[in-house]
C-alpha cells in the first residue's frame, strides 16, 4: 500500500549571492535604526559580526559551525542581562531581537533562511516605533522595509539580477501601492481610549524636570533641544518677560538638595488684577505627574488637581502626549495672608550649613531693618555687581554649597542663583521657596503657537512680602538678562560646553516643528474621539468596533480584488525587436512605402529597397538582422538586439527626387 505524504518537506534552495547581499543590507538597516538606543559597544560588535559574516560568505561560503553559534547566542543573552538586568522590557528586548537577527545570518544558506530573516527584520523595524513615533522616525522605518521587500523579490525563481539600486525600485513601488490600504486601516482600526501608540509604557518617559533639584542637575537638561511642550493662546501671547511656566514648588532644603512637598492642602487665595489668559498646552511624554502651567494657574484641567502651592498635578504620570486647557493670571496677588505653618516652612534652613551666607543675611537685616524689599534688592545687587557670571559648566561646590558659590566660585546658572537667593532670603527672615519650570520659548509665527524645549528649563524664586503675597523673583536675570529676554540658547552663547547651536539651525528646527506638531495631533494623537470626529460626516458618528471591523474587512477585500485584477491583467509583452521594426515601418510609410497586411518582413524590406535604391544596402542589413533575431535563436543575443535597435534609430531615409 502506498503511503500518502501529507507533509512533504520542500527541497532546500541554496541562497544565491544577490539575495544574501540584500539580506545583509536589511539587517544593517535594522541595526542602524536601533543603534541610537543601544549601547554603542554592542551596536559596534553586532556591526562587526555582520560585516565579518558578509565577507566570509563572499570568500568561502558555508554556515558558521554550531560550536561558534551557540556560544555567541549565550554570550549575547548574558551581555543583555548584565547590562539591562533582564531580558524583558523595551530596551533589552530590542537589543536581544537585533542581536539574534544578526546571528541568524551565520546560518542563512537557503532561500527559506532568507525569508525568515527578512520577515523577522520587518518585525524588528516596527519595534523601533516603540522608542520614537515622530514623523522622521516613522518615514525611516517605512523606508527600512525596502531592502526586506527587495530580498523577498530577489528570491523569486524568475528574478533577473540587476544593479543594486534598481533592486529597490520595485520594492518602492510595492510600498507606495500599500499606502491606500495603510490609510484605510489607520482610519478604521478601532481605537482604544488612549492614542494610537498609547500602550502603557512607563519606560517611555523622557528626561525632564524632576521633583527635586540640586545646583548642577539642569546641565544635561539645558543642553537637551527636544520639545517639552507646545502652547497656543486664545488671544495674543504674553510678552517674553511673563512666559514663566510653573511646574514644581520646592520648600524642603537639606543643605544640598531642594524638594517639593507634593499634594495636599487647599490652594491659597489668589487675586488676579488683569484678565485671565486662556491657553492650551500639548505636553510631551514626561513620565511625571506635574503639568506645567503659565504662572500662576487659577484652575486645574480634568483628571488633575491644584495643590496648595499652585502646582498642577495629574492623577497619573504623563506617559503619552497630553493636551489640556488652562487659565492663568499674569498679574496677581498670591496668598496675601500667610499662616504660621506656611511661614515656618518658608523660613526653614538646615542647621550647620553655610555660615557665611547666614552672617551676610543677618547684616542685611540689621542694616535695612524691617524693609524686606530692600533686602531683596540688596541680594539682586550682589548678583549684578558682585562679579558673578552665567555658565553651564560651573566649578563643583562643597558641603557648604551656597557659601562656596557666593564667596568663592561666583559662577553658575539658574539653579545656583535661585538656590542661593532663596537661602539668603530665609536666612534674613523672609519666607522664600524655589520654583522650577520653563521660561521663554520660541513663538512660531507659521503655526501660531509657542514652542518650549527642554533647554528652556528654568528655576527662579518666590518670596513672601507683606501686603503683596508671594512674588516671583528671578535672580538669574540680574546676572544674565539675556536668559529671560532671548532664551537659554542666547544665554549659553560662547560656552565651553560645546553646546552653541547656530541661530539659523535653531530657526530651521523651530519652523520644522510645525510639521511635528501636525504629526503629533493628526497621527500619534488619533484616538477614539478624533476617529469619531473624522467619521461623523460620513454618517458613522457612533460606529462601534464591530461596524469599524466590518468596514475595514470590506475595504480590505476591495483592495485585494483590485490588486488581483491588476496582477491578472494581460499586458502586451515587451518585444524590443518588434518595437524597432514598427519604428522602421513608420519612417518608411512617411515616404510612401506602407507595409501591407499579411506581408512578411522579408518581402517588405525587398519592396522598400526597390522603392528606395539609395538605401538598398542599409535596408538589406536591417532585413538580415531582423530575420536572424526572429528565426535564428530561441533567445536572441543581447548584443545583436542592441545593434538592431541602434540601427533602426539611426535609419533616416530621404525621399527620392524624380
Amino acid at each position: 500500500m502506498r503511503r500518502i505524504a501529507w507533509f512533504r518537506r520542500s527541497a532546500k534552495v541554496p541562497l544565491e549571492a544577490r539575495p544574501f547581499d540584500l539580506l545583509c543590507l536589511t539587517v544593517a538597516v535594522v541595526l542602524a535604526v536601533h543603534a541610537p538606543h543601544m549601547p554603542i559597544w554592542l551596536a559596534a560588535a553586532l556591526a562587526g559580526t555582520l560585516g565579518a559574516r558578509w565577507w566570509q560568505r563572499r570568500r568561502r561560503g558555508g554556515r558558521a559551525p554550531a560550536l561558534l553559534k551557540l556560544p555567541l547566542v549565550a554570550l549575547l543573552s548574558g551581555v543583555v542581562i548584565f547590562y539591562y538586568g533582564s531580558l524583558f522590557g523595551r530596551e533589552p528586548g530590542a537589543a536581544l531581537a537585533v542581536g539574534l537577527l544578526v546571528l541568524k545570518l551565520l546560518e542563512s544558506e537557503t532561500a527559506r533562511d532568507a525569508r525568515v530573516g527578512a520577515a523577522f527584520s520587518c518585525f524588528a523595524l516596527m519595534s523601533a516605533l516603540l522608542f520614537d513615533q515622530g514623523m522622521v522616525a516613522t518615514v525611516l522605518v517605512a523606508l527600512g522595509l525596502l531592502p526586506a521587500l527587495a530580498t523577498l523579490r530577489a528570491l523569486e525563481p524568475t528574478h533577473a539580477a540587476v544593479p543594486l539600486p534598481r533592486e529597490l525600485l520595485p520594492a518602492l513601488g510595492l510600498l507606495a501601492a500599500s499606502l491606500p490600504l495603510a490609510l484605510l486601516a489607520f482610519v478604521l482600526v478601532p481605537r482604544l481610549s488612549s492614542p494610537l501608540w498609547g500602550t502603557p509604557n512607563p519606560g517611555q518617559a523622557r528626561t525632564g524636570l524632576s521633583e527635586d533639584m540640586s545646583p548642577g542637575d539642569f546641565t544635561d537638561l539645558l543642553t537637551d533641544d527636544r520639545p517639552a511642550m507646545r502652547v497656543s493662546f486664545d488671544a495674543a501671547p504674553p510678552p517674553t518677560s511673563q512666559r514663566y511656566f510653573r511646574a514644581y514648588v520646592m520648600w524642603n532644603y537639606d543643605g544640598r538638595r531642594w524638594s517639593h512637598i507634593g499634594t495636599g492642602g487647599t490652594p491659597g487665595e489668589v487675586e488676579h488684577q488683569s484678565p485671565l489668559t486662556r491657553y492650551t498646552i500639548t505636553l510631551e511624554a514626561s513620565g511625571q505627574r506635574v503639568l506645567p502651567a503659565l504662572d500662576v494657574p487659577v484652575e486645574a484641567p480634568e483628571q488633575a488637581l491644584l495643590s496648595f502651592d499652585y502646582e498642577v498635578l495629574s492623577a497619573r504620570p504623563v506617559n503619552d502626549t497630553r493636551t489640556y486647557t488652562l487659565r492663568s493670571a499674569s498679574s496677581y496677588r498670591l496668598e496675601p495672608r500667610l499662616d504660621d505653618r506656611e511661614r515656618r516652612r518658608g523660613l526653614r534652613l538646615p542647621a550647620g550649613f553655610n555660615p557665611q551666607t547666614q552672617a551676610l543675611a543677618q547684616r542685611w537685616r540689621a542694616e535695612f531693618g524691617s524693609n524686606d524689599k530692600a533686602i531683596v534688592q540688596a541680594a539682586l545687587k550682589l548678583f549684578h555687581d558682585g562679579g558673578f557670571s552665567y555658565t553651564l559648566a560651573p566649578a563643583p561646590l562643597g558641603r557648604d554649597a551656597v557659601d562656596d558659590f557666593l564667596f568663592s566660585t561666583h559662577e553658575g546658572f539658574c539653579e545656583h542663583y535661585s538656590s542661593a537667593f532663596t537661602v539668603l532670603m530665609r536666612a534674613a527672615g523672609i519666607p522664600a521657596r524655589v520654583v522650577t519650570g520653563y521660561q521663554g520659548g520660541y513663538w512660531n509665527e507659521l503655526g501660531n503657537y509657542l514652542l518650549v524645549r527642554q533647554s528652556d528649563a528654568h528655576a527662579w524664586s518666590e518670596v513672601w512680602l507683606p501686603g503683596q503675597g508671594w512674588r516671583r523673583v528671578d535672580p538669574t536675570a540680574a546676572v544674565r538678562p539675556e536668559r529671560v529676554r532671548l532664551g537659554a540658547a542666547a544665554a549659553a552663547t560662547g560656552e565651553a560646553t560645546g553646546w552653541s547651536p547656530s541661530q539659523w539651525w535653531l530657526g530651521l528646527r523651530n519652523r520644522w516643528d510645525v510639521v511635528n506638531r501636525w504629526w503629533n495631533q493628526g497621527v500619534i494623537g488619533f484616538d477614539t474621539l478624533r476617529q469619531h470626529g473624522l467619521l461623523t460626516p460620513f454618517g458613522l458618528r457612533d460606529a462601534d468596533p464591530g461596524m469599524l471591523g466590518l468596514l475595514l474587512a470590506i475595504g480590505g477585500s476591495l483592495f485585494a480584488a483590485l490588486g488581483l485584477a491588476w496582477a491578472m491583467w494581460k499586458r502586451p509583452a515587451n518585444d524590443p525587436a518588434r518595437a524597432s521594426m514598427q519604428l522602421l515601418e513608420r519612417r518608411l510609410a512617411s515616404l510612401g512605402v506602407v507595409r501591407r497586411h499579411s506581408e512578411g518582413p522579408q518581402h517588405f524590406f525587398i519592396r522598400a529597397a526597390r522603392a528606395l535604391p539609395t538605401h538598398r544596402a542599409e535596408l538589406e542589413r536591417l532585413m538580415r538582422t531582423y530575420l536572424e533575431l526572429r528565426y535564428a535563436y530561441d533567445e536572441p543575443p543581447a548584443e545583436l538586439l542592441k545593434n538592431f535597435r541602434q540601427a533602426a534609430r539611426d535609419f533616416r531615409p530621404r525621399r527620392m527626387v524624380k
Side-chain angles (χ1 to χ4, degrees), residues 405-416:
F405 171 68
L406 290 178
F407 302 102
S408 179
T409 64
H410 292 174
E411 60 182 18
F413 48 92
C414 58
E415 287 181 327
H416 299 78

Side-chain angles (χ1 to χ4, degrees), residues 446-463:
L446 188 60
N448 200 33
Y449 68 93
L450 183 71
L451 170 62
V452 180
R453 298 187 179 275
Q454 296 289 358
S455 55
D456 293 315
H458 195 50
W460 59 92
S461 301
E462 284 184 342
V463 296

Side-chain angles (χ1 to χ4, degrees), residues 2 13 35 48 79 87 141 287 299 307 341 347 357 461 530 550 572 589 599-600:
R2 186 174 182 181
V13 179
V79 163
L87 287 175
V141 167
E299 60 190 6
S307 69
R341 181 184 178 186
L347 293 174
T357 302
S461 301
R530 293 178 184 271
L550 178 62
E599 184 178 22

Side-chain angles (χ1 to χ4, degrees), residues 157-326:
T158 58
H159 178 74
V162 295
L164 186 59
R166 290 183 58 189
E167 294 277 10
L168 301 178
L169 290 179
L172 187 61
L174 288 174
L175 201 62
S178 68
L179 289 180
L181 183 59
L183 182 61
L184 181 72
F186 173 77
V187 173
L188 293 180
V189 167
R191 293 297 194 278
L192 303 174
S193 57
S194 55
L196 176 62
W197 308 102
T199 302
N201 187 0
Q204 195 173 1
R206 296 181 173 184
T207 59
L209 299 172
S210 63
E211 296 180 350
D212 51 23
M213 182 202 82
S214 178
D217 285 354
F218 275 12
T219 303
D220 292 337
L221 197 58
L222 293 175
T223 57
D224 186 348
D225 208 24
R226 291 177 301 178
M229 60 184 183
R230 299 171 178 86
V231 190
S232 58
F233 298 90
D234 288 6
T240 303
S241 60
Q242 295 184 11
R243 294 174 186 172
Y244 284 83
F245 292 89
R246 187 188 193 93
Y248 290 109
V249 180
M250 307 204 175
W251 296 83
N252 299 330
Y253 181 59
D254 62 3
R256 171 174 173 76
R257 182 168 294 276
W258 292 87
S259 60
H260 86 139
I261 294 178
T263 59
T266 303
E269 179 185 2
V270 58
E271 301 174 2
H272 53 88
Q273 299 163 345
S274 62
L276 297 177
T277 301
R278 192 172 188 274
Y279 54 98
T280 300
I281 291 180
T282 302
L283 180 67
E284 295 290 329
S286 64
Q288 302 186 35
R289 292 179 54 201
V290 70
L291 302 178
L294 189 66
D295 204 17
V296 58
V298 298
E299 60 190 6
E302 293 183 358
Q303 300 182 353
L305 58 84
L306 198 60
S307 69
F308 74 98
D309 48 8
Y310 285 83
E311 292 177 348
V312 181
L313 299 173
S314 172
R316 292 188 297 272
V318 181
N319 291 323
D320 299 296
T321 301
R322 176 168 178 173
T323 300
Y324 52 94
T325 299
L326 284 176

Side-chain angles (χ1 to χ4, degrees), residues 400-539:
D400 296 317
V402 177
D403 277 2
D404 291 346
F405 171 68
L406 290 178
F407 302 102
S408 179
T409 64
H410 292 174
E411 60 182 18
F413 48 92
C414 58
E415 287 181 327
H416 299 78
Y417 290 102
S418 61
S419 177
F421 179 85
T422 305
V423 171
L424 273 171
M425 293 302 102
R426 288 189 175 187
I430 301 175
R433 57 195 185 189
V434 172
V435 181
T436 61
Y438 298 95
Q439 192 280 325
Y442 171 81
W443 179 252
N444 194 313
E445 295 284 351
L446 188 60
N448 200 33
Y449 68 93
L450 183 71
L451 170 62
V452 180
R453 298 187 179 275
Q454 296 289 358
S455 55
D456 293 315
H458 195 50
W460 59 92
S461 301
E462 284 184 342
V463 296
W464 190 89
L465 300 176
Q468 299 184 29
W470 290 105
R471 305 297 299 176
R472 181 177 62 230
V473 180
D474 191 347
T476 307
V479 180
R480 196 67 176 261
E482 294 87 351
R483 171 61 187 86
V484 176
R485 290 190 291 105
L486 303 177
T493 301
E495 283 291 308
T497 59
W499 181 73
S500 56
S502 58
Q503 291 302 312
W504 71 268
W505 172 246
L506 287 176
L508 182 64
R509 290 197 61 184
N510 289 332
R511 288 172 177 78
W512 172 254
D513 188 73
V514 175
V515 180
N516 290 326
R517 186 194 188 207
W518 171 85
W519 180 264
N520 288 339
Q521 293 179 344
V523 179
I524 298 177
F526 191 74
D527 54 9
T528 304
L529 186 62
R530 293 178 184 271
Q531 186 180 42
H532 287 176
L534 182 65
L535 296 177
T536 296
F538 302 96

Side-chain angles (χ1 to χ4, degrees), residues 31-32 34-50 95 98 102:
L31 180 58
H34 279 278
H37 47 259
M38 291 173 62
I40 187 170
W41 51 267
L42 180 58
L46 293 176
T49 304
L50 191 156
V98 175
V102 173

